[in-house]
């Protein structure tokens, strides 16, 4: 490649210096240059003119005499050194060389000793903190039994009050109640059938004392559609405040009862807590319906308060991110520890879940999809298909860096629009790693770019990302006639703009090609060294005389031309299919990376085609019979049968078990955060902020809040439970009894936020975690902070573009 470049440069060397500009003085300056500079073809005019006047020029190197230049039979020394000055310089140099190593060695020893002490102290502190967390978990599980909500079935008749007696452990009564029955999911009529539920505390000694909690009102279905109506669940915490005003008078006939009470003064009000065994606490229910209302009631006494729950949930999230960001422990261990601490918090609050309940918290559909696709990819990799695809991509793009990255990102985004982005990442990651290894690129930034485009592409359709599946399948969305076509149309246009912004931002972030290089190629190293030699030669010449200035300008032109060639080669654009180095590399790749098992490849293609076709059928609501997880599992089972493998250990060894365990722990942690009230708290804040603005600006504010709250939260909280909560918030905002905002733009804002927010952090989306796990198995590990530096700015840019798009389409032009 170097020779080819030199041959091209020889054709234009005479443009660097004109023979008419040469002077006798400039020839003398040229003679004193080093031989590798002096005899370069770009300086040939100097040599030709010199030989015309002075004869042939020769160079002789002697070890005893040093370099001497001979012309016309006369020798001239290139360098003269005064003897006395030379001795002084040599003596000083020897003294420096003898003393400096000793000083540097002592300083290194001191620094090394301090570093070892600091590392030892940090290690002891880390182990102590982790063991303390383990002790807290163990003690909380030992001291608290597994609890489960009491489930009751009853029927409420019109005009009757049903009571169920409770047995609270303390005088202050607080109950988490969950109702399931024929309830209205969207309130359309405030005067319809109602179900009232409250707590009542009264005396049993005939004193007439009674306290009631606030009444919880639930809207029932109409009488004519109540029978065989689908069940709807709702939860609320009921608490007896037991407040009486300070100026209230107390009957003297009840003095013997008040002796068993304690009075507390707070905010100038008396709070009365009735003590003793002469009180009864009951859960009361009544209905305004003319029909008998069947319901299911479950309750839990003394739940964790909302304020404390939010604090605990925030601490758990901080614990998880501290462990991952600072790499204190492995990512999977960090998720296991954080989720275990969440269970400990619930246990200390009296709500320790049972093992079957913990298993029910796992998103088995996602885990099944991941496991099945990992098995498919593991068998497919044995055929050599991924290596062959890497050769094809290398040949098509001509071995150029950015065209290759563009190709990978485009296909990843395209496939993610119709396939689940986790599946796409599982298929594309091995190909990307193989290509980067061949081109001597660092796979980490290329993989991060690829997974970012996977999340962007997955947001375009209802089946591309799990949050979109949740949004598109919600009953309120289906009632608005938001189908696959109009969902893709509205989201697709915005995603095209987001993809363009993402590409421009990534090109700017990786404008320095050294960030993409894993190792610098040999030809680029040689060219950098050559540029350095020419640059030093040019810098050694002053511009005080016309003779030296002529030579210096010729050298600077040569440096500029070499620099342009270097930039092209660093960007990969210098490689072409006619390049001898590219052709030889391609020939070696074709010889080394071939399809190893064609029969297994045909069987694998049949199984993968089955999975892909059924995935496409999910776009048609009438054909959604198989879930994504079951589809992938059926394909994996079919391939295992066709592969006729007696030993499954090699295949199972390629399954990313640590990634699956990480997801399982993350699902448990997200459910703990939901039970502690963090996710519902986010929804309440969003709704309260929208209510603070005028009606004419509510849609714009609602779009921005739904977009940015879901986007920022999805970067730090798993987007599946967050989307489940936020879609209820959007449905409530559009309900006739609520703010009556249009639902379609709110749904698309939620889709933009939940999907694009996954680009923010390494654990923001499932595809990110899967890509990191596969890369780590291939020996390329990227940390949380490495991804955060690239992904979070990209996410902010994505949300900004989505904000402009939503405002332009739905606030300015009312496209919906």
């Amino acid at each position: 490649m170097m020779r080819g470049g030199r041959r091209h440069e020889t054709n234009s060397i005479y443009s660097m210096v004109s023979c008419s500009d040469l002077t006798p003085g400039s020839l003398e300056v040229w003679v004193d240059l080093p031989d590798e500079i002096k005899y370069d073809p770009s300086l040939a005019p100097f040599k030709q003119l010199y030989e015309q006047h002075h004869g042939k020029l020769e160079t002789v190197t002697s070890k005893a005499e040093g370099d001497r230049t001979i012309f016309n039979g006369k020798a001239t020394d290139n360098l003269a050194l005064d003897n006395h000055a030379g001795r002084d310089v040599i003596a000083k140099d020897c003294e420096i060389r003898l003393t400096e190593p000793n000083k540097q060695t002592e300083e290194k020893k001191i620094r090394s000793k301090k570093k070892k002490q600091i590392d030892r102290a940090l290690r002891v502190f880390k182990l102590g903190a982790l063991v303390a967390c383990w002790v807290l978990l163990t003690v909380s599980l030992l001291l608290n039994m597994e609890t489960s909500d009491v489930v009751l079935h009853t029927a409420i008749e019109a005009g009757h009050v049903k009571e169920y007696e409770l047995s609270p452990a303390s005088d202050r009564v607080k109950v988490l109640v969950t109702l399931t029955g024929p309830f209205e999911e969207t309130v359309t009529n405030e005067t319809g059938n109602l179900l009232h539920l409250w707590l009542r505390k009264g005396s049993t000694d005939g004193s007439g004392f009674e306290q009631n909690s606030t009444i919880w009102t639930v809207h029932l279905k109409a009488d004519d559609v109540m029978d065989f109506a689908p069940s709807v669940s709702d939860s609320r915490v009921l608490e007896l405040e037991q407040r009486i005003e300070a100026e209230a008078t107390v009957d003297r006939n009840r003095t013997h009862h008040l002796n068993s009470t304690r009075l507390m003064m707070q905010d100038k009000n008396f709070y009365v807590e009735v003590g003793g065994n002469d009180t009864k606490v009951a859960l009361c229910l009544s209905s305004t319906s003319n029909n008998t209302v069947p319901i299911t009631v479950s309750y839990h006494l003394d739940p964790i308060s909302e304020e404390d729950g939010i604090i605990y949930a925030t601490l758990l999230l901080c614990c998880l991110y501290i462990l991952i960001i600072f790499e204190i422990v492995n990512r999977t261990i960090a998720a296991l520890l954080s989720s275990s601490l969440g269970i400990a918090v619930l246990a200390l609050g009296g709500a320790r879940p049972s093992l079957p309940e913990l298993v029910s918290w796992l998103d088995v559909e996602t885990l099944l999809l991941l496991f099945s696709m990992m098995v498919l990819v593991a068998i497919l990799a044995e055929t050599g298909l991924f290596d062959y695809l890497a050769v094809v991509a290398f040949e098509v793009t001509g071995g150029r860096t950015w065209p290759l990255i563009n190709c990978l990102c485009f296909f990843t985004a395209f496939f993610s629009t119709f396939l689940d982005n986790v599946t796409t990442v599982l298929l594309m990651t091995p190909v990307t790693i193989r290509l980067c290894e061949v081109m001597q690129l660092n796979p980490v930034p290329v993989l991060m770019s690829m997974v970012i485009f996977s999340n962007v592409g997955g947001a375009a359709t209802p089946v591309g990302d799990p949050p979109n599946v949740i949004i598109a399948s919600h009953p309120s969305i289906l009632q608005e006639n938001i189908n696959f076509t109009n969902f893709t149309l509205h989201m697709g246009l915005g995603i095209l703009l987001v993809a363009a912004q993402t590409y421009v931002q990534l090109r700017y972030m990786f404008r320095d090609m050294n960030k993409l290089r894993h190792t610098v190629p040999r030809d680029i190293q040689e060219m950098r060294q050559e540029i350095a030699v020419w640059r030093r030669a040019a810098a050694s010449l002053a511009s005080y005389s016309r003779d030296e200035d002529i030579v210096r300008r010729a050298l600077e032109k040569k440096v500029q031309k070499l620099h342009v060639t270097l930039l092209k080669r660093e960007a990969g654009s210098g490689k072409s299919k006619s390049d001898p180095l590219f052709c030889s590399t391609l020939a070696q790749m074709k010889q080394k990376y071939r399809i190893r098992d064609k029969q297994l490849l045909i069987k694998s293609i049949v199984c993968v085609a089955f999975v892909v076709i059924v995935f496409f059928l999910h776009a048609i609501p009438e054909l959604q019979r198989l879930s994504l997880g079951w589809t992938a599992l059926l394909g994996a089972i079919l391939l295992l049968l066709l592969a006729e493998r007696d030993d499954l250990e090699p295949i199972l060894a390629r399954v990313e078990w640590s990634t699956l365990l990480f997801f399982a722990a993350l699902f448990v942690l997200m459910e703990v955060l939901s039970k502690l009230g963090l996710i519902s708290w986010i929804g309440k804040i969003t709704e309260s902020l929208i209510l603070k603005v005028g009606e004419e600006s509510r849609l714009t504010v609602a779009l921005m809040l739904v977009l940015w709250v879901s986007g920022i939260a999805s970067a730090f909280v798993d987007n599946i439970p967050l989307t489940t909560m936020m879609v209820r918030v959007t449905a409530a905002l559009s309900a006739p009894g609520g703010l009556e905002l249009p639902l379609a733009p709110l749904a698309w804002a939620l889709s933009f936020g939940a999907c694009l927010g996954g680009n923010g952090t390494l654990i923001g989306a499932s595809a990110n975690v899967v890509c990191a796990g596969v890369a780590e198995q291939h020996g390329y590990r990227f940390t949380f902070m490495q991804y955060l530096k690239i992904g979070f700015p990209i996410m902010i840019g994505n949300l900004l573009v989505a904000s402009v798009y939503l405002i332009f389409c739905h606030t300015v032009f009312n496209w919906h």
Side-chain angles (χ1 to χ4, degrees), residues 573-589:
S573 59
K575 295 181 180 179
S576 64
K577 296 183 180 181
S578 61
D579 189 352
L581 183 60
F582 169 78
C583 294
S584 62
T585 304
L586 181 61
Q588 292 175 2
M589 289 177 63

Side-chain angles (χ1 to χ4, degrees), residues 374-400:
M374 286 176 182
V375 172
L376 281 172
V377 172
I379 299 177
L380 197 58
E382 295 182 359
T383 64
L385 176 64
F386 297 125
D387 298 333
Y388 177 75
L389 291 176
V391 175
V392 172
F394 183 73
E395 183 177 12
V396 170
T397 58
R400 292 170 292 179

Side-chain angles (χ1 to χ4, degrees), residues 390-410:
V391 175
V392 172
F394 183 73
E395 183 177 12
V396 170
T397 58
R400 292 170 292 179
T401 302
W402 270 110
L404 184 63
I405 296 175
N406 298 342
C407 182
L408 291 172
C409 292
F410 170 76

Side-chain angles (χ1 to χ4, degrees), residues 39-71:
Y39 293 112
D40 190 271
S42 60
L43 299 182
F46 288 96
K47 181 180 179 182
Q48 292 176 1
L49 186 61
Y50 188 90
E51 289 181 347
Q52 289 177 7
H53 293 84
H54 301 285
K56 190 161 183 174
L57 184 69
E58 298 176 354
T59 300
V60 179
T61 303
S62 172
K63 292 182 180 179
E65 298 177 354
D67 289 343
R68 300 170 69 86
T69 304
I70 302 175
F71 55 97

Side-chain angles (χ1 to χ4, degrees), residues 153-458:
H153 302 281
T154 186
I156 312 299
E157 298 179 0
H160 290 77
V161 177
K162 277 286 184 76
E163 291 189 1
Y164 177 78
E165 187 172 348
L166 303 176
S167 301
S170 61
D171 292 335
R172 300 187 63 85
V173 183
K174 184 167 62 173
V175 185
L176 173 62
V177 182
T178 301
L179 294 180
T180 303
F183 307 144
E184 287 284 357
E185 197 167 6
T186 302
V187 180
T188 57
N189 186 6
E190 291 290 341
T191 61
N193 294 332
L194 303 176
L195 174 69
H196 302 293
L197 188 144
W198 70 98
L199 293 178
R200 175 184 294 168
K201 188 174 186 179
S203 62
T204 59
D205 57 356
S207 61
F209 173 78
E210 182 177 303
Q211 294 289 332
N212 293 317
S213 68
T214 55
I215 297 177
W216 176 20
T217 301
V218 181
H219 293 263
L220 297 171
K221 293 281 188 180
D223 293 337
D224 55 343
V225 295
M226 184 178 295
D227 198 18
F228 294 105
S231 296
V232 178
S233 298
D234 199 0
S235 300
R236 183 165 299 186
V237 175
L238 297 177
E239 186 174 4
L240 282 171
E241 296 181 356
Q242 299 177 335
R243 173 180 297 184
I244 59 176
E245 298 298 329
E247 61 269 17
T249 60
V250 181
D251 193 346
R252 294 183 180 180
N253 295 329
R254 298 167 57 192
T255 303
H256 66 280
H257 175 70
L258 292 178
N259 289 332
S260 62
T261 62
R262 291 186 293 110
L263 298 180
M264 296 184 299
M265 179 72 74
Q266 181 177 343
D267 297 332
K268 298 182 180 181
N269 292 328
F270 285 109
Y271 289 81
V272 180
E273 292 188 2
V274 182
N277 297 324
D278 55 351
T279 58
K280 180 181 72 172
V281 178
L283 182 65
C284 304
L285 301 96
S286 67
S287 168
T288 61
S289 174
N290 295 322
N291 296 340
T292 301
V293 182
I295 61 171
T296 300
V297 182
S298 62
Y299 68 91
H300 173 68
L301 293 171
D302 297 326
I304 300 175
S305 65
E306 184 179 359
E307 295 79 8
D308 295 339
I310 293 173
I311 294 174
Y312 295 147
T314 305
L315 291 177
L316 288 173
L317 267 184
C318 292
C319 174
L320 174 66
Y321 278 91
I322 288 173
L323 292 176
I324 293 179
I325 291 174
F326 296 101
E327 299 180 6
I328 298 175
V329 291
N330 181 271
R331 181 176 64 244
T332 303
I333 298 177
L336 284 172
L337 182 61
S338 300
S339 58
S340 301
L341 287 176
I343 296 173
V345 171
L346 293 179
L348 293 175
R352 176 187 167 183
S354 61
L355 191 57
E357 186 179 0
L358 277 177
V359 174
S360 68
W361 293 355
L362 303 179
D363 190 347
V364 182
E365 180 71 23
T366 302
L367 297 177
L368 187 63
L369 173 66
L370 289 174
F371 170 78
S372 304
M373 293 308 300
M374 286 176 182
V375 172
L376 281 172
V377 172
I379 299 177
L380 197 58
E382 295 182 359
T383 64
L385 176 64
F386 297 125
D387 298 333
Y388 177 75
L389 291 176
V391 175
V392 172
F394 183 73
E395 183 177 12
V396 170
T397 58
R400 292 170 292 179
T401 302
W402 270 110
L404 184 63
I405 296 175
N406 298 342
C407 182
L408 291 172
C409 292
F410 170 76
F411 280 112
T412 302
F414 177 76
F415 289 134
S416 294
T417 57
F418 300 102
L419 298 178
D420 184 77
N421 53 6
V422 174
T423 304
T424 306
V425 167
L426 276 172
L427 294 173
M428 293 296 296
T429 300
V431 179
T432 303
I433 292 176
R434 180 67 66 199
L435 279 172
C436 291
E437 289 175 346
V438 170
M439 296 185 62
Q440 297 179 324
L441 294 174
N442 184 5
V444 171
V446 181
L447 288 175
M448 289 192 293
S449 304
M450 185 194 71
V451 78
I452 286 173
F453 271 95
S454 175
N455 292 326
V456 171

